[in-house]
């Protein structure tokens, strides 16, 4: 078993559940799930092998970044849905600046 892939897949599952929660109107639950996915990625095992990028496999770093991007957008969407526009704006600015992904 590959711990890195397990962490990335768990984070992707968490963002999927966050999407469902957001669609059902549970913005607080969606935010919690998305932040949990970000925390999982932050603690994830380093990729033992970056993998050779191909047209069908972008590489492990790209996999982690895609999962993190999805989770960050869901956190921001949940914050907006909860009326916390300033917090959502600050969260995204920090993410773009390369700050801690689970901060906030």
């Amino acid at each position: 078993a590959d711990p890195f892939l397990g962490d990335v897949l768990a984070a992707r599952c968490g963002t999927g559940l966050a999407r469902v929660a957001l669609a059902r109107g549970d913005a607080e639950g969606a935010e919690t799930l998305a932040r949990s996915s970000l925390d999982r990625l932050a603690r994830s095992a380093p990729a033992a092998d970056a993998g050779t990028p191909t047209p069908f496999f972008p590489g492990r770093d790209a996999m982690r970044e895609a999962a993190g991007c999805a989770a960050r957008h869901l956190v921001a969407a949940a914050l907006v849905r909860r009326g916390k526009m300033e917090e959502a704006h600050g969260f995204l600015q920090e993410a773009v600046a390369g700050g801690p992904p689970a901060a906030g």
Side-chain angles (χ1 to χ4, degrees):
D2 186 339
F4 171 80
L5 287 179
D7 289 335
V8 171
L9 289 174
R12 295 297 294 195
C13 288
T15 57
L17 291 171
R19 281 187 186 95
V20 171
L22 197 58
R24 290 180 173 232
D26 183 6
E28 188 173 344
E31 180 185 352
T32 299
L33 286 163
R35 285 185 186 273
S36 176
S37 292
L38 286 172
D39 289 342
R40 180 75 181 243
L41 288 170
R43 294 188 322 264
S44 69
D49 172 14
T52 304
T54 69
F56 302 105
F57 176 71
R60 290 175 183 245
D61 290 338
M63 289 171 61
R64 184 192 317 255
E65 182 55 34
C69 184
R72 285 189 293 274
H73 280 93
L74 282 164
V75 169
L79 288 170
V80 167
R81 183 79 55 93
R82 293 175 64 201
K84 298 182 175 186
M85 303 295 218
E86 293 294 324
E87 190 175 341
H89 181 72
F91 180 83
L92 288 176
Q93 280 187 322
E94 188 173 275
V96 168

